[in-house]
Amino acid sequence: RRLYARTFQFSQQRSSLLRAVSFFVSIMAAVSLMVSSTNGSVVTDRRFQTDVTVSGLKNKLELIVGTPAMYQELQLKSEDDEVLANLDDDAKPLSAYSPASGMKLLVIDKDPNRTAQQYSDLSQVEKVEINEEDYERRADSVRAYKRRMKLGRFADGAPAEDELAEDEEAAAKMKVGDRCRVEKPTRYGSIMFIGETQFKSGCIWVGVKLDEPLGKNNGSVAGVKYFECEEKYGVFQRPKTVVVGDFPEQGFEDEEL
């Protein structure tokens, strides 16, 4: 009985050891390759078992780059883009080409039905054009959704469309860096920001760095930084209340003149 128990224990230990060795070998038999394609669809780091055949590898790559296996040509490259091998025998395992982690695997797309940059050239995408009146009548448009949900310029308290048009026209005549005068009350400074904000969406705001500490912030509102300035030197105004011009820089000493 003691001999049987020792034999059984040894058998269990041997099985555990074999499983560990098998797992270790399977890890060692895998390589990480940087996969890319001439169709420009993807660049990704993937791990492959070295015992996979070139044919099986192409099937896996079809799911990654989108090129059918029958139209793939594979090249193994060094990290410096030097071609090390052409994987041209579908029956051979990947290990036959001596791959190593860090190398690159290029999928050359030979699909005759696909044009270059098919996935990245937006000029090849068929576009649907619709005039303003027809778009306004549609109930399934983004504009209709925003109107129903009261988002953006359709939110409660948002400026009317004629006010938005007035702001857009005024903002179009400004650029970051322009000297300006801010109305109500009158202050002077430089434009640092033009655009929409998170604190009130749906309209354009102009961020101004004032010459004097007569503002409300430091270029940040509700934790979002829009431009850099000292505390109390920043203010946000609607474009129609900002006048661009060749205004001299103001300072407290000007009040003594």
Side-chain angles (χ1 to χ4, degrees):
R1 289 181 179 178
R2 290 181 181 178
L3 179 61
Y4 175 79
R6 289 178 181 177
T7 302
F8 179 74
Q9 185 179 12
F10 174 76
S11 177
Q12 284 186 317
Q13 292 174 342
R14 183 172 179 274
S15 297
S16 299
L17 179 61
L18 289 175
R19 284 196 297 269
V21 170
S22 177
F23 176 72
F24 178 75
V25 169
S26 67
I27 294 177
M28 294 299 291
V31 290
S32 293
L33 303 176
M34 185 63 68
V35 177
S36 62
S37 171
T38 55
N39 67 25
S41 60
V42 69
V43 176
T44 179
D45 189 13
R46 294 299 177 98
R47 193 170 180 83
F48 301 101
Q49 296 294 322
T50 57
D51 60 353
V52 66
T53 63
V54 172
S55 177
L57 180 61
K58 288 180 177 179
N59 289 330
K60 293 178 182 294
L61 291 169
E62 180 175 350
L63 301 176
I64 299 172
V65 302
T67 303
M70 67 177 70
Y71 295 125
Q72 294 179 24
E73 289 184 5
L74 306 182
Q75 282 186 345
L76 189 64
K77 293 185 172 186
S78 68
E79 294 184 39
D80 299 324
D81 282 329
E82 179 186 357
V83 177
L84 303 176
N86 292 304
L87 283 60
D88 50 10
D89 189 337
D90 285 352
K92 283 186 177 181
L94 178 59
S95 58
Y97 298 93
S98 303
S101 292
M103 290 183 178
K104 300 179 180 179
L105 183 61
L106 175 64
V107 181
I108 302 173
D109 190 332
K110 293 292 185 177
D111 189 346
N113 301 313
R114 180 172 296 156
T115 58
Q117 285 82 44
Q118 179 176 350
Y119 298 114
S120 56
D121 186 357
L122 297 181
S123 67
Q124 300 185 44
V125 178
E126 184 178 355
K127 300 174 180 64
V128 177
E129 296 183 359
I130 184 171
N131 61 48
E132 177 64 24
E133 292 182 1
D134 290 340
Y135 184 74
E136 180 65 26
R137 285 195 294 265
R138 292 185 68 98
D140 58 350
S141 65
V142 174
R143 182 184 298 172
Y145 174 78
K146 286 186 173 182
R147 185 180 287 114
R148 289 194 302 271
M149 303 304 294
K150 296 184 177 181
L151 300 174
R153 61 191 175 101
F154 301 107
D156 293 334
E161 290 194 20
D162 56 342
E163 291 184 83
L164 289 174
E166 187 178 348
D167 278 344
E168 289 175 359
E169 183 179 353
K173 300 175 183 178
M174 306 174 184
K175 65 180 183 296
V176 172
D178 282 346
R179 289 289 298 167
C180 67
R181 182 180 71 231
V182 176
E183 304 292 353
K184 299 180 183 179
T186 300
R187 291 156 292 172
Y188 295 88
S190 300
I191 295 176
M192 304 294 289
F193 171 87
I194 304 172
E196 293 193 18
T197 63
Q198 293 185 25
F199 59 80
K200 190 170 184 181
S201 61
C203 54
I204 299 174
W205 290 89
V206 178
V208 177
K209 178 182 177 182
L210 299 173
D211 295 339
E212 301 169 295
L214 303 173
K216 297 182 178 180
N217 52 62
N218 63 351
S220 301
V221 178
V224 179
K225 174 71 72 174
Y226 296 95
F227 62 92
E228 295 285 347
C229 72
E230 295 180 22
E231 192 64 48
K232 295 296 183 180
Y233 278 81
V235 67
F236 288 86
Q237 298 280 137
R238 296 285 295 281
K240 63 183 180 182
T241 65
V242 179
V243 178
V244 172
D246 187 18
F247 301 109
E249 189 168 344
Q250 304 294 303
F252 287 119
E253 64 274 10
D254 296 332
E255 298 177 357
E256 300 176 0
L257 297 178

